[in-house]
Amino acid sequence: MEVKANLLRLANEWIIAQVEEVEGDTLPGDPDCILRDPYVVDCDGGIDPWPVYSDDREVVVRSTDITTLVNPSKVLLARYIASLPSIE
């Protein structure tokens, strides 16, 4: 299974996640992106589940709050894939 993830800057944190658009019409200012299995990236390149105090693995955000969206490095992507919960 191929995992496509993005590295994004959101609220002064670097987040790696699978980013998808919300289906259907949204009003301006409404959340319009889904971050699936988001992890925050620390200054050493380590990753931890995000948001910190939640067990939710899907987070809905506004695309206007994302300041940067890029592809992660191969090393970071491999670390992210290894951290994903296995599907049984």
mmCIF file of all heavy atoms in Angstrom, residues 2 4 12 15-16 28-29 32 34-35 38-39 44 47-49 51 56 58-59 63 67 72-74 79-80:
data_model
loop_
_atom_site.group_PDB
_atom_site.id
_atom_site.type_symbol
_atom_site.label_atom_id
_atom_site.label_comp_id
_atom_site.label_asym_id
_atom_site.label_seq_id
_atom_site.Cartn_x
_atom_site.Cartn_y
_atom_site.Cartn_z
ATOM 1 N N GLU A 2 0.662 2.124 -0.941
ATOM 2 C CA GLU A 2 1.426 3.361 -1.032
ATOM 3 C C GLU A 2 0.793 4.418 -0.141
ATOM 4 O O GLU A 2 -0.414 4.628 -0.175
ATOM 5 C CB GLU A 2 1.456 3.858 -2.471
ATOM 6 C CG GLU A 2 2.287 5.098 -2.646
ATOM 7 C CD GLU A 2 2.321 5.581 -4.080
ATOM 8 O OE1 GLU A 2 1.898 4.838 -4.982
ATOM 9 O OE2 GLU A 2 2.752 6.712 -4.286
ATOM 10 N N LYS A 4 0.727 8.378 0.687
ATOM 11 C CA LYS A 4 1.098 9.719 0.241
ATOM 12 C C LYS A 4 0.857 10.671 1.402
ATOM 13 O O LYS A 4 -0.257 10.766 1.903
ATOM 14 C CB LYS A 4 0.267 10.131 -0.966
ATOM 15 C CG LYS A 4 0.576 9.318 -2.199
ATOM 16 C CD LYS A 4 -0.157 9.829 -3.391
ATOM 17 C CE LYS A 4 0.201 8.991 -4.611
ATOM 18 N NZ LYS A 4 -0.440 9.473 -5.811
ATOM 19 N N ASN A 12 2.502 27.248 13.723
ATOM 20 C CA ASN A 12 3.912 27.233 14.140
ATOM 21 C C ASN A 12 4.445 25.846 14.467
ATOM 22 O O ASN A 12 5.397 25.708 15.226
ATOM 23 C CB ASN A 12 4.143 28.185 15.314
ATOM 24 C CG ASN A 12 3.953 29.622 14.907
ATOM 25 O OD1 ASN A 12 4.320 30.006 13.802
ATOM 26 N ND2 ASN A 12 3.356 30.409 15.776
ATOM 27 N N ILE A 15 3.771 19.547 10.700
ATOM 28 C CA ILE A 15 2.908 18.374 10.810
ATOM 29 C C ILE A 15 3.097 17.527 9.559
ATOM 30 O O ILE A 15 3.112 18.049 8.442
ATOM 31 C CB ILE A 15 1.413 18.790 10.908
ATOM 32 C CG1 ILE A 15 1.184 19.814 12.018
ATOM 33 C CG2 ILE A 15 0.514 17.562 11.049
ATOM 34 C CD1 ILE A 15 1.364 19.300 13.406
ATOM 35 N N ILE A 16 3.218 16.206 9.741
ATOM 36 C CA ILE A 16 3.204 15.290 8.610
ATOM 37 C C ILE A 16 1.896 14.508 8.689
ATOM 38 O O ILE A 16 1.520 14.030 9.762
ATOM 39 C CB ILE A 16 4.444 14.361 8.572
ATOM 40 C CG1 ILE A 16 4.428 13.521 7.286
ATOM 41 C CG2 ILE A 16 4.557 13.527 9.832
ATOM 42 C CD1 ILE A 16 5.716 12.764 7.014
ATOM 43 N N PRO A 28 -16.816 29.868 3.093
ATOM 44 C CA PRO A 28 -15.532 30.498 3.411
ATOM 45 C C PRO A 28 -15.321 30.547 4.929
ATOM 46 O O PRO A 28 -16.224 30.913 5.678
ATOM 47 C CB PRO A 28 -15.676 31.906 2.833
ATOM 48 C CG PRO A 28 -16.679 31.755 1.735
ATOM 49 C CD PRO A 28 -17.636 30.705 2.216
ATOM 50 N N GLY A 29 -14.147 30.123 5.363
ATOM 51 C CA GLY A 29 -13.832 30.113 6.788
ATOM 52 C C GLY A 29 -14.110 28.785 7.472
ATOM 53 O O GLY A 29 -13.649 28.550 8.582
ATOM 54 N N ASP A 32 -11.870 22.859 5.632
ATOM 55 C CA ASP A 32 -12.007 22.255 4.305
ATOM 56 C C ASP A 32 -10.914 21.241 3.976
ATOM 57 O O ASP A 32 -10.814 20.770 2.857
ATOM 58 C CB ASP A 32 -12.072 23.345 3.232
ATOM 59 C CG ASP A 32 -10.871 24.270 3.242
ATOM 60 O OD1 ASP A 32 -9.999 24.128 4.122
ATOM 61 O OD2 ASP A 32 -10.793 25.140 2.359
ATOM 62 N N ILE A 34 -8.881 17.603 5.576
ATOM 63 C CA ILE A 34 -8.793 16.544 6.580
ATOM 64 C C ILE A 34 -7.343 16.101 6.666
ATOM 65 O O ILE A 34 -6.732 15.778 5.647
ATOM 66 C CB ILE A 34 -9.678 15.340 6.205
ATOM 67 C CG1 ILE A 34 -11.142 15.752 6.075
ATOM 68 C CG2 ILE A 34 -9.514 14.215 7.233
ATOM 69 C CD1 ILE A 34 -12.029 14.663 5.496
ATOM 70 N N LEU A 35 -6.796 16.095 7.875
ATOM 71 C CA LEU A 35 -5.459 15.559 8.113
ATOM 72 C C LEU A 35 -5.648 14.174 8.711
ATOM 73 O O LEU A 35 -6.175 14.026 9.809
ATOM 74 C CB LEU A 35 -4.682 16.447 9.088
ATOM 75 C CG LEU A 35 -4.543 17.919 8.733
ATOM 76 C CD1 LEU A 35 -3.699 18.636 9.772
ATOM 77 C CD2 LEU A 35 -3.985 18.104 7.339
ATOM 78 N N PRO A 38 -2.211 12.490 11.638
ATOM 79 C CA PRO A 38 -1.228 13.571 11.749
ATOM 80 C C PRO A 38 -0.214 13.333 12.877
ATOM 81 O O PRO A 38 -0.556 12.802 13.931
ATOM 82 C CB PRO A 38 -2.091 14.794 12.061
ATOM 83 C CG PRO A 38 -3.273 14.235 12.792
ATOM 84 C CD PRO A 38 -3.512 12.877 12.189
ATOM 85 N N TYR A 39 1.018 13.713 12.602
ATOM 86 C CA TYR A 39 2.095 13.655 13.591
ATOM 87 C C TYR A 39 2.829 14.985 13.565
ATOM 88 O O TYR A 39 3.047 15.565 12.500
ATOM 89 C CB TYR A 39 3.091 12.535 13.260
ATOM 90 C CG TYR A 39 2.575 11.146 13.552
ATOM 91 C CD1 TYR A 39 1.693 10.511 12.693
ATOM 92 C CD2 TYR A 39 2.982 10.475 14.702
ATOM 93 C CE1 TYR A 39 1.222 9.229 12.969
ATOM 94 C CE2 TYR A 39 2.519 9.191 14.984
ATOM 95 C CZ TYR A 39 1.637 8.587 14.115
ATOM 96 O OH TYR A 39 1.174 7.327 14.391
ATOM 97 N N ASP A 44 14.413 17.528 16.116
ATOM 98 C CA ASP A 44 15.386 16.483 15.798
ATOM 99 C C ASP A 44 14.887 15.533 14.711
ATOM 100 O O ASP A 44 15.564 14.554 14.389
ATOM 101 C CB ASP A 44 15.715 15.676 17.053
ATOM 102 C CG ASP A 44 16.401 16.519 18.115
ATOM 103 O OD1 ASP A 44 17.232 17.374 17.743
ATOM 104 O OD2 ASP A 44 16.101 16.325 19.308
ATOM 105 N N ILE A 47 8.918 12.153 15.480
ATOM 106 C CA ILE A 47 7.502 12.455 15.309
ATOM 107 C C ILE A 47 6.681 11.879 16.462
ATOM 108 O O ILE A 47 7.023 10.834 17.020
ATOM 109 C CB ILE A 47 6.951 11.960 13.960
ATOM 110 C CG1 ILE A 47 7.075 10.437 13.817
ATOM 111 C CG2 ILE A 47 7.645 12.657 12.802
ATOM 112 C CD1 ILE A 47 6.422 9.891 12.555
ATOM 113 N N ASP A 48 5.622 12.617 16.818
ATOM 114 C CA ASP A 48 4.695 12.209 17.866
ATOM 115 C C ASP A 48 3.277 12.470 17.380
ATOM 116 O O ASP A 48 3.048 13.433 16.638
ATOM 117 C CB ASP A 48 4.939 13.015 19.151
ATOM 118 C CG ASP A 48 6.266 12.663 19.795
ATOM 119 O OD1 ASP A 48 6.475 11.478 20.112
ATOM 120 O OD2 ASP A 48 7.089 13.585 19.986
ATOM 121 N N PRO A 49 2.310 11.634 17.809
ATOM 122 C CA PRO A 49 0.924 11.857 17.386
ATOM 123 C C PRO A 49 0.464 13.276 17.703
ATOM 124 O O PRO A 49 0.857 13.862 18.712
ATOM 125 C CB PRO A 49 0.133 10.828 18.208
ATOM 126 C CG PRO A 49 1.119 9.749 18.508
ATOM 127 C CD PRO A 49 2.436 10.463 18.675
ATOM 128 N N PRO A 51 -3.171 15.895 17.370
ATOM 129 C CA PRO A 51 -2.899 16.762 18.518
ATOM 130 C C PRO A 51 -2.517 15.948 19.760
ATOM 131 O O PRO A 51 -2.974 14.829 19.946
ATOM 132 C CB PRO A 51 -4.197 17.521 18.733
ATOM 133 C CG PRO A 51 -5.213 16.958 17.823
ATOM 134 C CD PRO A 51 -4.572 15.954 16.952
ATOM 135 N N ASP A 56 -7.909 11.247 18.488
ATOM 136 C CA ASP A 56 -8.457 11.362 17.131
ATOM 137 C C ASP A 56 -7.342 11.194 16.108
ATOM 138 O O ASP A 56 -6.270 11.766 16.249
ATOM 139 C CB ASP A 56 -9.133 12.721 16.912
ATOM 140 C CG ASP A 56 -10.409 12.869 17.711
ATOM 141 O OD1 ASP A 56 -10.883 11.873 18.289
ATOM 142 O OD2 ASP A 56 -10.940 13.993 17.757
ATOM 143 N N GLU A 58 -8.146 11.692 12.768
ATOM 144 C CA GLU A 58 -8.549 12.566 11.675
ATOM 145 C C GLU A 58 -8.853 13.933 12.274
ATOM 146 O O GLU A 58 -9.635 14.037 13.214
ATOM 147 C CB GLU A 58 -9.785 12.031 10.954
ATOM 148 C CG GLU A 58 -9.526 10.789 10.162
ATOM 149 C CD GLU A 58 -10.737 10.344 9.360
ATOM 150 O OE1 GLU A 58 -11.777 11.029 9.380
ATOM 151 O OE2 GLU A 58 -10.636 9.292 8.713
ATOM 152 N N VAL A 59 -8.210 14.953 11.735
ATOM 153 C CA VAL A 59 -8.399 16.311 12.229
ATOM 154 C C VAL A 59 -8.801 17.181 11.046
ATOM 155 O O VAL A 59 -8.145 17.141 9.997
ATOM 156 C CB VAL A 59 -7.099 16.856 12.875
ATOM 157 C CG1 VAL A 59 -7.297 18.273 13.367
ATOM 158 C CG2 VAL A 59 -6.645 15.942 14.009
ATOM 159 N N SER A 63 -7.823 25.230 5.251
ATOM 160 C CA SER A 63 -6.639 25.310 4.393
ATOM 161 C C SER A 63 -5.960 26.673 4.515
ATOM 162 O O SER A 63 -4.750 26.773 4.333
ATOM 163 C CB SER A 63 -7.003 25.020 2.938
ATOM 164 O OG SER A 63 -7.961 25.935 2.466
ATOM 165 N N THR A 67 0.310 27.356 6.234
ATOM 166 C CA THR A 67 1.169 28.367 5.609
ATOM 167 C C THR A 67 2.155 27.778 4.613
ATOM 168 O O THR A 67 2.616 28.473 3.721
ATOM 169 C CB THR A 67 1.939 29.175 6.670
ATOM 170 O OG1 THR A 67 2.687 28.284 7.486
ATOM 171 C CG2 THR A 67 0.982 29.980 7.530
ATOM 172 N N PRO A 72 7.468 15.552 2.192
ATOM 173 C CA PRO A 72 8.474 15.268 3.219
ATOM 174 C C PRO A 72 9.701 14.593 2.607
ATOM 175 O O PRO A 72 9.628 14.017 1.520
ATOM 176 C CB PRO A 72 7.738 14.305 4.165
ATOM 177 C CG PRO A 72 6.734 13.624 3.298
ATOM 178 C CD PRO A 72 6.316 14.655 2.276
ATOM 179 N N SER A 73 10.795 14.655 3.318
ATOM 180 C CA SER A 73 11.999 13.939 2.879
ATOM 181 C C SER A 73 11.722 12.435 2.923
ATOM 182 O O SER A 73 10.792 11.974 3.600
ATOM 183 C CB SER A 73 13.179 14.278 3.789
ATOM 184 O OG SER A 73 12.969 13.714 5.081
ATOM 185 N N LYS A 74 12.530 11.662 2.223
ATOM 186 C CA LYS A 74 12.359 10.205 2.215
ATOM 187 C C LYS A 74 12.547 9.622 3.615
ATOM 188 O O LYS A 74 11.842 8.691 4.001
ATOM 189 C CB LYS A 74 13.346 9.566 1.235
ATOM 190 C CG LYS A 74 13.008 9.861 -0.211
ATOM 191 C CD LYS A 74 14.014 9.252 -1.150
ATOM 192 C CE LYS A 74 13.662 9.641 -2.584
ATOM 193 N NZ LYS A 74 14.628 9.130 -3.545
ATOM 194 N N ARG A 79 9.878 7.230 8.359
ATOM 195 C CA ARG A 79 9.592 7.271 9.800
ATOM 196 C C ARG A 79 8.083 7.362 10.035
ATOM 197 O O ARG A 79 7.523 6.706 10.904
ATOM 198 C CB ARG A 79 10.318 8.459 10.427
ATOM 199 C CG ARG A 79 10.291 8.483 11.930
ATOM 200 C CD ARG A 79 11.198 9.572 12.472
ATOM 201 N NE ARG A 79 12.573 9.248 12.117
ATOM 202 C CZ ARG A 79 13.483 10.152 11.742
ATOM 203 N NH1 ARG A 79 13.176 11.421 11.680
ATOM 204 N NH2 ARG A 79 14.700 9.792 11.431
ATOM 205 N N TYR A 80 7.405 8.195 9.232
ATOM 206 C CA TYR A 80 5.946 8.355 9.338
ATOM 207 C C TYR A 80 5.227 7.035 9.033
ATOM 208 O O TYR A 80 4.364 6.602 9.800
ATOM 209 C CB TYR A 80 5.487 9.456 8.368
ATOM 210 C CG TYR A 80 3.999 9.629 8.271
ATOM 211 C CD1 TYR A 80 3.283 10.223 9.296
ATOM 212 C CD2 TYR A 80 3.299 9.196 7.152
ATOM 213 C CE1 TYR A 80 1.924 10.397 9.218
ATOM 214 C CE2 TYR A 80 1.938 9.353 7.051
ATOM 215 C CZ TYR A 80 1.244 9.959 8.084
ATOM 216 O OH TYR A 80 -0.125 10.119 8.005
#
